[in-house]
Amino acid sequence: MTVTPASPDVRHFRTLFISDVHLGSRAAKAGFLIDFLRHHEAETIVLVGDIVDGWRLKRNWYWPQAFNDVTQKLLRKARKGTRIIYIPGNHDEFLRDFPGMHFGGVEVADRIIHEAADGKRYLVLHGDEFDVVVRHARVVAYLGDWAYDAAIAINVVFAAIRRKLGLPYWSFSSWAKQQVKTAVNFIGEFQKVVAEEARRNGADGVICGHIHHAVIADIDGIRYINSGDWVESCTAIAEHHDGTMELITWQQMASAPVEALPVSRRGLAVEVREAADAEAA
């Protein structure tokens, strides 16, 4: 079923892939995601894991109105005809007990094979099952999660200072990951292993999340696609009606002058920046 755009400002796609929103974490960019969903429509939306951060909610409950708004926005799209598929990740693994179930029009699945408009088949999964640390050393994974929280907290302060100085957005946490050789090696190995899983399943490519590293690349004849996250990069993968895959980076609006944004987006941009400044303070 085709969803008709509400305004000329809306882009319409065949499929949207979104992962690693981490609702429950103070670092989640819920405001940007709401704006993204307002200006991007699709016949199908695939939520590729870690949409809700159960790990952080167990440690410290944090659920502001913006997180409700994201949930309601998705459910509203489902009611209007958008097919929504939820593939749980490691942070929302509690949903893995309900494969095949429907909640408010949202389907839950462990993994799916997505056939694109051009006939190519993509294995879609979160990807944590290929992370040795998550699968076999949960305590280490929790410690890594804490360290990531610390990097994100530093990131918020950096972003607020750079905005006040009129400088563009820059992610300290992303930069730190790229400087650590072990992290770079891990990303490369993760990509290879996930691509090989797609090959074993007879797919032409794989679409995943988990490592918060958005990219579209070819790995040994397999199209590897990672949808990134809504904590740092604020990215999503969009499938056009001809099967072409596009990586959309929504975080660019965080560093653009408000005057350069479409009128419909200026109010939200100001609200998000003020909220970030308040949190940093």
Side-chain angles (χ1 to χ4, degrees):
M1 178 177 180
T2 300
V3 180
T4 303
S7 76
D9 222 10
V10 175
R11 299 182 69 193
H12 184 249
F13 299 94
R14 186 171 184 262
T15 316
L16 286 172
F17 300 88
I18 298 169
S19 72
D20 297 273
V21 181
H22 290 275
L23 298 177
S25 166
R26 294 180 183 276
K29 300 294 191 299
F32 284 105
L33 180 56
I34 292 168
D35 197 37
F36 175 85
L37 293 171
R38 183 179 296 143
H39 293 91
H40 295 77
E41 294 282 3
E43 297 167 13
T44 301
I45 296 177
V46 184
L47 304 174
V48 196
D50 285 2
I51 305 303
V52 175
D53 197 325
W55 291 11
R56 286 177 175 81
L57 289 173
K58 285 181 180 178
R59 295 201 304 262
N60 181 32
W61 185 266
Y62 177 72
W63 196 268
Q65 182 58 43
F67 292 178
N68 283 332
D69 293 342
V70 170
T71 304
Q72 291 301 318
K73 187 69 174 176
L74 289 168
L75 292 176
R76 193 175 303 117
K77 286 180 179 292
R79 289 196 300 270
K80 291 183 178 181
T82 300
R83 183 187 182 192
I84 299 182
I85 303 171
Y86 195 136
I87 299 174
N90 51 305
H91 284 258
D92 45 18
E93 59 191 354
F94 57 88
L95 285 172
R96 286 178 168 158
D97 293 332
F98 305 99
M101 297 291 288
H102 289 240
F103 299 96
V106 178
E107 310 168 32
V108 179
D110 287 331
R111 56 170 63 184
I112 63 171
I113 293 291
H114 173 75
E115 186 168 338
D118 58 4
K120 292 182 179 178
R121 300 171 73 250
Y122 291 88
L123 173 66
V124 186
L125 73 174
H126 182 63
D128 61 290
E129 56 264 59
F130 302 100
D131 184 339
V132 176
V133 172
V134 171
R135 299 297 292 177
H136 302 293
R138 182 58 66 93
V139 174
V140 176
Y142 279 127
L143 289 173
D145 200 47
W146 176 86
Y148 186 67
D149 280 349
I152 290 296
I154 295 173
N155 202 59
V156 171
V157 176
F158 264 86
I161 293 173
R162 289 178 68 86
R163 274 197 301 274
K164 291 182 182 300
L165 295 175
L167 298 173
Y169 176 82
W170 178 74
S171 174
F172 166 80
S173 47
S174 290
W175 173 83
K177 282 194 297 186
Q178 295 302 319
Q179 303 309 306
V180 179
K181 185 177 180 180
T182 53
V184 174
N185 290 340
F186 167 76
I187 290 173
E189 289 303 313
F190 176 87
Q191 293 173 342
K192 291 178 183 177
V193 172
V194 175
E196 186 57 34
E197 178 69 7
R199 192 190 310 279
R200 282 196 296 269
N201 282 267
D204 301 294
V206 61
I207 301 174
C208 62
H210 185 54
I211 61 173
H212 295 206
H213 186 73
V215 69
I216 297 178
D218 289 316
I219 300 178
D220 297 328
I222 296 293
R223 174 59 60 90
Y224 171 87
I225 301 176
N226 193 299
S227 49
D229 67 278
W230 287 84
V231 175
E232 302 170 78
S233 57
C234 296
T235 52
I237 297 296
E239 179 200 354
H240 292 263
H241 286 87
D242 63 356
T244 302
M245 296 292 181
E246 176 187 354
L247 172 59
I248 301 176
T249 303
W250 196 244
Q251 187 66 48
Q252 292 173 352
M253 72 170 288
S255 57
V258 172
E259 295 75 13
L261 297 171
V263 174
S264 61
R265 302 182 189 175
R266 293 179 186 177
L268 181 64
V270 171
E271 291 175 15
V272 171
R273 294 172 198 186
E274 289 177 346
D277 289 342
E279 185 175 336

